[in-house]
Amino acid sequence: MLAVAAPAPAAGARAASSEAPAADPAVAAVTSRVVPVPASVRPGGGAFRITSSARVELDAASAGAARDVADYVAGLLRPATGYALPVVTGGAARGVAEGGAAAGDPAGVVLALGDTDQGLGDEGYRLRTTDSAVVISARTAAGLFHGAQTLRQLLPASVESRSPVRDTAWTVPDTDIRDVPRYAYRGAMLDVARHFFTVAQVERFIDELALYKVNTLHLHLTDDQGWRIAIDSWPRLTAYGGSTQVGGGRGGSYSQDDYREIVRHATARFLTVVPEIDGPGHTNAALASYPELNCGGSAPPLYTGTAVGFSSLCAPLETTYAFLDDVIGQIAALTPGPYLHIGGDEAQSTSQTDYATYVDRVQRLVAGYGKTVIGWHQIVGASPAPGTIAQYWGTAGNETEVAAAARAGTRVIMSPANRAYLDMKYTSSTALGKAWAGYVEVRTAYDWDPATFVQGVPASAVDGVEAALWTETLATTADLDDMAFPRLPGIAELGWSPAATHDWGTYRVRLAAQAPRWDALGIGYYRSPQVSWPS
């Protein structure tokens, strides 16, 4: 294992962290532009400029596990710089990582696994500069990948160009960063059921999430308006139930190979995919596809509106659980991550007795396939099984059932709709989105604390945060971008950065610094008047 030494801070230098302000110019160069803001920043060993002779270097001990990250970094930097940036393995990387470089050693980006700082955990990293290298070290490949996203944001925004950019100094500012996430679960949900989005569109969304160190993609795969994932033994789910969408468009669905490709793309960017099969409500597409899933044996028509609460699987029917066993078994086999989301919200057409029966049976099915259940927070009104996670999407923050369940051991993911629902309108003049949870401007989406939002939920019970992007009114990639940006990076920062760093005044500065990067990436965004955007 490579032992990466921690350099001593320069005389009189202080780290920018939850305890110290970012007063040093070298510190401010990082904290004024990187989102999520790193946990600790101090001056490093000098600024580093990437030149045509630079390499991406791996220590031999890191070569196997970190090679994909090294290839990713090189692929990210080559188009804009026009440099070859070969990926190499050898002793030069060890020398630079351990604190220096011999005369004549090539300057480069050094990636090193085996950092001896156990506090970095599964996702943390160190990034520090010398005048001859920028070194990213971590205990895992995920940590190296997250460090690469910070490196990306430290370089000029034009590094995002896919063609050479002339007359640009590719300089990484002088820095020494130690960064670890606040929460292990940092998610974003994409609803592909109300409007269908292709594999390429989902993968683009994944790339946007990775830039902000989001590590979970929650895919809402089924709803009243469409069933989007093929189940071999129930082919009409997609052939018929996936044939339309809100407004009556053509809809669409993923083959199992399509889904595998989404999972592969996410895994390569260190995101876990959480599939959601919603029930017992939000199931009209399934009910329309198979009459035998209905209590009366008669299938309803397909639905292309946006009302909720009118559909329900038939909880007393054993056919329901045979169906769900097939669905859950196939989805679990396709999904390497530990979670499977069972929905559970807005089941107004299901009696409380049937709802409790349904939740109990489905939790057992999911557990039988080795997955951990996540459900919308209404499941706490049934009997959450040990290990089940409730996803809070309320607005009041005073839901006593959620607090009681959390005190009894149920873990909670925070997605309050009036803070973290990215489909809510920014203002009354926003063309897209809905407003049932209120208007959610950029500051509103950022200015809250997941640990304290729901009264009575212990901070220790909060697993993390998730931004939710529902698509009743969103039909294109441009629509997704306009509603996700600039709010998504703020939710990501709440999930990653220490609570004590959360400050709207400083956040709005580094958020504004993201705009040229979004322009370079072709990401549209809402130019909120709350932020002083570059002209």
Side-chain angles (χ1 to χ4, degrees), residues 7-403:
R14 294 180 71 194
S17 66
S18 56
E19 290 81 30
D24 188 287
V27 171
V30 175
T31 59
S32 63
R33 70 170 97 174
V34 176
V35 177
V37 67
S40 175
V41 185
R42 65 189 185 190
F48 168 66
R49 182 173 177 176
I50 300 173
T51 65
S52 59
S53 63
R55 303 178 178 189
V56 177
E57 301 193 16
L58 288 165
D59 176 73
S62 307
R67 178 67 194 221
D68 287 347
V69 179
D71 289 340
Y72 171 89
V73 171
L76 183 70
L77 301 180
R78 284 171 183 149
T81 64
Y83 302 153
L85 289 165
V87 177
V88 300
T89 302
R94 176 182 292 274
V96 174
E98 291 180 341
D105 279 347
V109 178
V110 178
L111 303 178
L113 286 176
D115 196 301
T116 56
D117 181 355
Q118 295 189 9
L120 294 178
D122 291 338
E123 295 188 280
Y125 66 93
R126 288 281 308 280
L127 186 153
R128 57 190 178 87
T129 58
T130 70
D131 59 5
S132 63
V134 55
V135 181
I136 303 173
S137 62
R139 298 181 65 80
T140 67
L144 292 179
F145 184 84
H146 295 321
Q149 304 311 314
T150 296
L151 170 63
R152 182 179 179 180
Q153 292 190 39
L154 290 172
L155 288 164
S158 54
V159 77
E160 307 296 348
S161 173
R162 297 298 88 188
S163 58
V165 179
R166 306 301 180 191
D167 303 318
T168 298
W170 305 107
T171 301
V172 183
D174 173 33
T175 193
D176 182 354
I177 295 169
R178 181 184 184 277
D179 202 11
V180 294
R182 181 184 184 189
Y183 291 116
Y185 188 107
R186 305 177 308 281
M189 187 278 291
L190 180 60
D191 170 14
V192 297
R194 270 52 177 274
H195 280 100
F196 178 69
F197 293 88
T198 66
V199 171
Q201 288 174 304
V202 174
E203 290 183 344
R204 183 180 187 274
F205 188 64
I206 290 169
D207 290 343
E208 293 172 353
L209 300 181
L211 175 58
Y212 296 103
K213 303 181 177 71
V214 173
N215 68 355
T216 306
L217 172 67
H218 169 184
L219 280 179
H220 185 75
L221 291 166
T222 67
D223 213 297
D224 292 316
Q225 298 85 353
W227 185 286
R228 306 302 181 199
I229 179 68
I231 302 299
D232 292 339
S233 45
W234 301 80
R236 276 179 59 83
L237 290 171
T238 49
Y240 185 66
S243 64
T244 191
Q245 59 186 1
V246 167
R250 61 180 290 179
S253 60
Y254 306 119
S255 69
Q256 293 194 1
D257 281 343
D258 289 337
Y259 181 80
R260 289 186 185 97
E261 168 56 23
I262 290 171
V263 169
R264 184 207 62 77
H265 192 86
T267 301
R269 286 144 184 81
F270 298 91
L271 275 82
T272 297
V273 173
V274 177
E276 181 184 353
I277 305 299
D278 207 349
H282 291 280
T283 49
N284 192 80
L287 297 170
S289 300
Y290 287 97
E292 61 266 38
L293 297 177
N294 295 266
C295 285
S298 178
L302 293 171
Y303 182 70
T304 61
T306 60
V308 299
F310 63 88
S311 62
S312 180
L313 288 170
C314 189
L317 277 180
E318 281 303 312
T319 302
T320 296
Y321 304 105
F323 163 71
L324 290 169
D325 189 31
D326 278 353
V327 170
I328 290 168
Q330 291 186 43
I331 298 297
L334 293 167
T335 305
Y339 305 113
L340 199 150
H341 202 301
I342 65 170
D345 60 322
E346 297 175 322
Q348 288 97 314
S349 295
T350 311
S351 71
Q352 184 57 37
T353 298
D354 283 353
Y355 182 84
T357 297
Y358 179 91
V359 170
D360 179 64
R361 293 283 298 269
V362 175
Q363 286 183 111
R364 282 187 275 155
L365 288 174
V366 173
Y369 288 103
K371 301 297 183 183
T372 296
V373 171
I374 303 176
W376 299 107
H377 75 257
Q378 282 76 14
I379 66 168
V380 304
S383 297
T388 289
I389 300 169
Q391 184 169 1
Y392 175 81
W393 63 282
T395 60
N398 60 0
E399 290 83 356
T400 56
E401 278 192 323
V402 175

Side-chain angles (χ1 to χ4, degrees), residues 183 380 387-391 405-406 409-413 457-464:
Y183 291 116
V380 304
T388 289
I389 300 169
Q391 184 169 1
T410 298
R411 310 289 298 173
V412 183
I413 296 165
V457 170
S460 59
V462 177
D463 269 358

Side-chain angles (χ1 to χ4, degrees), residues 450-514:
T452 60
F453 190 86
V454 180
Q455 300 167 28
V457 170
S460 59
V462 177
D463 269 358
V465 296
E466 184 173 290
L469 189 52
W470 300 100
T471 62
E472 288 96 332
T473 69
L474 313 181
T476 67
T477 289
D479 292 345
L480 299 182
D481 283 353
D482 286 347
M483 298 305 279
F485 290 89
R487 292 180 291 195
L488 174 65
I491 304 298
E493 180 158 303
L494 294 178
W496 180 280
S497 303
T501 66
H502 297 167
D503 173 76
W504 169 249
T506 55
Y507 172 69
R508 66 193 291 270
V509 172
R510 56 183 171 272
L511 182 63
Q514 298 295 305

